[in-house]
Amino acid sequence: MRREENERAGSLFVYSEEMGQFDFGPDHPFKPERATKTYDLCTRYGVLNYPWMTILRPEPLETGLAHLFHEAAYLELLRAASRGEVRLEMLERGLGTQDTPILPGIYEWSLRAAGGTHEAMKRLLGNEARTAFNPLGGFHHAMPGHAEGFCYINDIVVAILDVLRRQPDLRIAYVDLDAHHGNGVQTPFYGDPRVLFISLHETGRTLYPWSGYETETGEQDGKGFTVNVPLEPGTDDEVYSYVVDSVLLPLLQSFAPHLTVAQLGADVLISDPLTHLKLTNNAYQKTIKGLVHMSPKVLGLGGGGYDLYRTSRCWTLAWSILNDVEPVDEFAGLVGGMMFGPEMEVGSLYDHPFLSKGDVKDKAFEEARRVVAYIQKEVFPIHGISS
Ligand SMILES: [Zn+2]
């Protein structure tokens, strides 16, 4: 996808200030203000002011659409919880746990986040845009009947199910870069070859949601269309790039999607407080460049990312890559200029290189090679790829 194509067809940045103000509470790691920080950083780096870019204000998803994936009883309990009601059966649905607390307005907020993803996808497929990014979306853990992993309504699944209903011949690639396995998206498409699901994540042996092993490859018609790449703690840019080049890019090329939905969780970074991968945003950028190259249309979504400042840097870079524009710090060199995050990194969006060493590195590479060999043996033949 080239810049000229964006210029012709346009791009969408899904954002509203009110959405960024929603608060999960001081002790909860999920901070919607990351979207605001991303918007501010994109503005500061001059990557939001090109004429083909549009800010799309998310409207609430029609509740009927939420029913495409979620159980009516769950949605009703979520709505009641959002209004301040407390019922015993809420807890069985994940509502009121530490990860997915009951918050006033959470139902409406989640519907609006999902509405942003849905509208962006609709416009992409209606040729009103070529690329879009919703930093308020990417809730890949939400299940049909319960909330988990900071996710209440699965914006990704709802949007994909709706477009497949209207355009059943579409090929959609779903690429999940979040450090956590995209379990809530894997499940509904496990038998569906129209959706190529590829998730790169920290192994389920050490991280929630404890799933996403390489042996999970889909079933029936969907066999080979679910691809999981579990990674060891300590996985660095070098190991990650090896996996991207060996598995992700060949599969995308062979599948030739009409649309790629990319969950761009930034909790893979070395500084993330919740995970154990050790990436810098250099590998993250390279991966996004690769998938953009293989996809005629891309819908990028937020997701995890609990180092707020570095997450917003990642997403500023992601937006720049999606649009093929170069971020330039218009304030660089100004004494007493606006400070943004740790002082030593002011003036650059790019992380310093980092590579793991010793046993940690050896083990990460060894496991990655084993997983890649498994996928090349079991999955590649289904796609007619010779490894
Ligand atoms: Zn995550």
Side-chain angles (χ1 to χ4, degrees):
M1 188 159 49
R2 297 278 169 268
R3 176 167 165 174
E4 305 82 64
E5 291 164 4
N6 276 323
E7 284 180 40
R8 265 202 312 276
S11 66
L12 306 166
F13 187 98
V14 181
Y15 177 69
S16 79
E17 205 183 323
E18 308 80 70
M19 286 293 285
Q21 284 166 354
F22 192 80
D23 192 0
F24 279 65
D27 298 327
H28 200 288
F30 191 87
K31 309 281 185 201
E33 69 184 86
R34 301 169 308 165
T36 301
K37 283 192 188 302
T38 304
Y39 177 83
D40 290 347
L41 209 52
C42 281
T43 305
R44 174 188 169 135
Y45 277 83
V47 291
L48 261 182
N49 56 11
Y50 289 85
W52 67 85
M53 299 174 176
T54 305
I55 304 293
L56 175 66
R57 299 197 161 273
E59 296 292 332
L61 184 78
E62 282 175 45
T63 47
L65 291 173
H67 287 269
L68 288 176
F69 179 55
H70 291 288
E71 294 167 14
Y74 165 66
L75 290 172
E76 179 47 38
L77 281 171
L78 180 59
R79 196 158 74 100
S82 187
R83 284 194 303 250
E85 290 175 35
V86 180
R87 294 186 213 155
L88 206 55
E89 63 262 43
M90 286 173 180
L91 208 52
E92 294 162 21
R93 303 280 193 169
L95 300 172
T97 65
Q98 206 173 3
D99 279 0
T100 41
I102 291 175
L103 304 160
I106 185 64
Y107 175 71
E108 291 74 16
W109 186 83
S110 299
L111 275 185
R112 200 175 280 271
T117 298
H118 181 264
E119 181 65 22
M121 198 182 297
K122 202 171 120 191
R123 293 199 192 185
L124 285 169
L125 291 170
N127 294 321
E128 293 173 59
R130 245 187 127 97
T131 188
F133 179 51
N134 180 10
L136 297 156
F139 294 99
H140 63 164
H141 299 307
M143 292 294 177
H146 71 270
E148 65 170 75
F150 315 160
C151 303
Y152 299 82
I153 289 180
N154 198 318
D155 58 312
I156 308 162
V157 174
V158 167
I160 295 177
L161 285 175
D162 188 41
V163 297
L164 285 178
R165 202 167 56 143
R166 289 181 283 118
Q167 293 173 257
D169 297 329
L170 277 182
R171 284 188 309 279
I172 298 177
Y174 172 73
V175 177
D176 193 316
L177 303 185
D178 194 284
H180 300 89
H181 174 228
N183 56 342
V185 183
Q186 171 172 306
T187 309
F189 301 114
Y190 208 58
D192 192 339
R194 295 173 300 175
V195 179
L196 174 64
F197 168 100
I198 306 176
S199 182
L200 279 56
H201 48 263
E202 181 176 336
T203 171
R205 282 186 285 104
T206 51
L207 194 69
Y208 166 87
W210 324 112
S211 54
Y213 289 94
E214 69 278 8
T215 49
E216 297 165 33
T217 57
E219 62 189 8
Q220 291 148 7
D221 290 351
K223 188 79 187 162
F225 291 84
T226 291
V227 180
N228 282 293
V229 186
L231 301 162
E232 286 296 299
T235 290
D236 64 7
D237 284 6
E238 200 176 23
V239 175
Y240 198 84
S241 294
Y242 160 71
V243 163
V244 167
D245 292 343
S246 311
V247 171
L248 174 63
L249 299 183
L251 281 167
L252 274 181
Q253 185 169 30
S254 153
F255 184 69
H258 297 107
L259 167 74
T260 295
V261 179
Q263 204 268 23
L264 303 176
D267 45 8
V268 290
L269 296 181
I270 186 168
S271 61
D272 194 90
L274 300 192
T275 71
H276 315 97
L277 300 179
K278 292 193 166 21
L279 265 61
T280 74
N281 66 24
N282 300 301
Y284 181 89
Q285 289 177 74
K286 204 177 139 202
T287 307
I288 298 173
K289 280 180 188 159
L291 72 88
V292 162
H293 188 67
M294 300 287 177
S295 316
K297 290 176 183 169
V298 179
L299 171 56
L301 303 171
Y306 308 101
D307 173 339
L308 262 54
Y309 169 62
R310 287 189 183 80
T311 296
S312 54
R313 291 202 321 176
C314 267
W315 290 350
T316 301
L317 289 166
W319 172 253
S320 305
I321 294 165
L322 289 175
N323 283 281
D324 198 15
V325 295
E326 203 62 44
V328 177
D329 185 358
E330 293 164 9
F331 295 87
L334 283 183
V335 177
M338 175 172 57
M339 287 298 170
F340 217 118
E343 193 174 342
M344 58 179 285
E345 286 174 339
V346 166
S348 174
L349 290 174
Y350 308 110
D351 288 343
H352 297 298
F354 170 84
L355 293 175
S356 293
K357 291 192 182 68
D359 290 350
V360 170
K361 177 64 172 260
D362 293 346
K363 190 166 180 222
F365 233 137
E366 199 180 304
E367 260 300 282
R369 285 203 185 90
R370 189 188 65 73
V371 167
V372 164
Y374 180 90
I375 293 167
Q376 289 180 339
K377 178 166 175 280
E378 301 293 330
V379 174
F380 275 25
I382 296 169
H383 295 269
I385 311 169
S386 49
S387 48

